[in-house]
Amino acid sequence: MAGGLFALLDDVAALARIAAASVDDVGAAAARASAKAAGVVVDDTAVTPQYLHGSAAERELPIIKKIAIGSLRNKLVFILPAAVLLGQFLPWLLPVILIFGGGFLAYEGAHKVHEKYAGHATEAEEAVTEQGEFTPEHEARTIAQAVRTDFILSAEIMVIALKEVVSSDADASIWMRAIVLAVVAVLITVLVYGVVALIVKMDDVGLHLAEKPSKASQRIGLALVSAMPKLLAAIAAIGTLAMLWVGGHIFLVSLYEIGGHDGLLEGTGFGDALHWPYETLHHWEVEVHDAVGGPVGGLVGWLLNTLVSAVVGLVVGAIVLVVLKAFGVGGGHGAGHGEEHAGEPAEDSSNR
């Protein structure tokens, strides 16, 4: 009887060790997958604050909460099952999907560059600025538009994460992949919208501190308020650079994998042509690293890879932008938002 009890305890302890190891595996895989998707996360974080222009201060956090819930629903309910099934049964299709995702990010970056140098704001900014604070109807449409845009970025994040999971452990079970992707989905959603919430409320914190009797608090508060426009401009610039860099890099690497080992077009002339650009870029990076040497060589090589990827992203994005405009389509993140609010000045003026 006692022997049976001890045997049972040994079994429980063994199961606990296996469970702990599995948790460690999930955590490590989720961390690697999240790191691979970091560039798209920067884009997501930079994009979201634009949807709050025109909203009342007390509605900012509720709007962010609703967008975050919609983002999590996108990832867990719609994208995760499709991504896991693709990874299990059609893994060769992942680079093809990523090509479209990289093209989308490159287009977004090129569109923002075009807006900046064309000297006008996005349609969404113009419409909301003229209308003042959101009505409940405007708020609902804005949240719906933000969640739709998030779907594309979330799909990109999840496919990148899945690709990392598949490449790092090809024998992982479908359930392991699903758990890792679920962890990535929650972590990234909390990170993105937590940072967005901190950013948009920074001016409120500054105003609160500025009203304190302490001179030090007042100085900090005024500094926070005055820093907000610069911070938002910096985030927008970083987001644009991230879109071009990540979009171009994803585009090049995905073409490389389609034409490379175990790729969809491996061994064909067209596959070799797709394989060549990133293979050449990687060769340049290695040559620069070896020529300079040490950590500085690694940094310089990485900067070269990043710069070329950003240029490729800008070129690809510009081509997509021109093609879409030729078909009367375009506008980036703000277009749908602006179109939804267009033609409603009478309603807005009556609700101010």
Side-chain angles (χ1 to χ4, degrees):
M1 184 77 173
L5 177 59
F6 286 127
L8 177 60
L9 292 176
D10 285 342
D11 290 342
V12 171
L15 288 173
R17 285 194 295 271
I18 293 171
S22 298
V23 170
D24 288 342
D25 291 342
V26 168
R32 290 194 301 270
S34 299
K36 286 289 185 179
V40 190
V41 171
V42 173
D43 177 27
D44 207 358
T45 306
V47 164
T48 305
Q50 77 172 17
Y51 292 104
L52 300 173
H53 288 301
S55 62
E58 65 271 11
R59 294 299 305 160
E60 289 175 341
L61 290 182
I63 290 174
I64 292 172
K65 179 181 176 181
K66 289 180 180 180
I67 297 174
I69 292 172
S71 175
L72 196 59
R73 183 172 59 246
N74 283 341
K75 294 181 181 74
L76 296 179
V77 177
F78 302 111
I79 300 171
L80 188 151
V84 168
L85 291 174
L86 280 174
Q88 187 72 18
F89 300 108
L90 298 171
W92 54 267
L93 194 57
L94 295 179
V96 178
I97 295 173
L98 284 174
I99 283 179
F100 289 99
F104 169 77
L105 288 177
Y107 159 71
E108 289 289 336
H111 186 272
K112 289 181 181 296
V113 171
H114 172 72
E115 283 178 345
K116 179 176 177 60
Y117 289 100
H120 59 79
T122 64
E123 295 174 24
E125 288 171 340
E126 291 171 354
V128 173
T129 299
E130 293 171 0
Q131 294 165 355
E133 293 183 355
F134 286 169
T135 64
E137 293 78 13
H138 288 146
E139 180 178 309
R141 282 194 292 269
T142 297
I143 292 170
Q145 173 64 20
V147 172
R148 283 195 296 271
T149 299
D150 172 88
F151 185 90
I152 299 174
L153 294 172
S154 291
E156 190 77 357
I157 289 168
M158 296 292 277
V159 172
I160 291 172
L162 175 64
K163 188 168 170 293
E164 173 62 18
V165 173
V166 172
S167 62
S168 62
D169 187 1
D171 297 325
S173 70
I174 190 171
W175 298 111
M176 179 69 170
R177 293 175 181 177
I179 292 171
V180 170
L181 287 186
V183 172
V184 169
V186 174
L187 287 178
I188 287 182
T189 303
V190 171
L191 172 64
V192 167
Y193 292 99
V195 170
V196 169
L198 288 175
I199 290 171
V200 301
K201 300 310 290 183
M202 186 180 292
D203 54 349
D204 291 345
V205 173
L207 289 173
H208 178 71
L209 291 175
E211 295 172 353
K212 296 286 186 180
S214 168
K215 294 294 184 183
S217 296
Q218 291 175 6
R219 283 195 296 269
I220 294 173
L222 292 174
L224 285 175
V225 173
S226 63
M228 274 302 295
K230 297 177 182 177
L231 176 62
L232 291 174
I235 290 173
I238 292 171
T240 300
L241 289 174
M243 281 183 262
L244 294 174
W245 160 43
V246 177
H249 187 75
I250 289 173
F251 194 83
L252 287 172
V253 172
S254 299
L255 290 179
Y256 174 85
E257 292 180 348
I258 289 174
H261 179 64
D262 290 336
L264 182 61
L265 299 175
E266 180 188 7
T268 66
F270 188 48
D272 292 339
L274 296 180
H275 190 78
W276 175 81
Y278 188 72
E279 184 178 41
T280 303
L281 176 57
H282 182 66
H283 181 67
W284 291 350
E285 182 180 358
V286 171
E287 284 190 338
V288 169
H289 177 275
D290 293 342
V292 177
V296 176
L299 175 61
V300 175
W302 178 84
L303 287 174
L304 173 65
N305 191 312
T306 299
L307 177 61
V308 174
S309 296
V311 172
V312 170
L314 182 60
V315 172
V316 171
I319 293 172
V320 175
L321 181 62
V322 170
V323 171
L324 290 180
K325 284 188 175 294
F327 287 94
V329 181
H333 290 302
H337 186 63
E339 289 166 2
E340 288 181 358
H341 291 294
E344 298 181 359
E347 178 187 351
D348 295 333
S349 61
S350 65
N351 283 280
R352 290 185 190 178

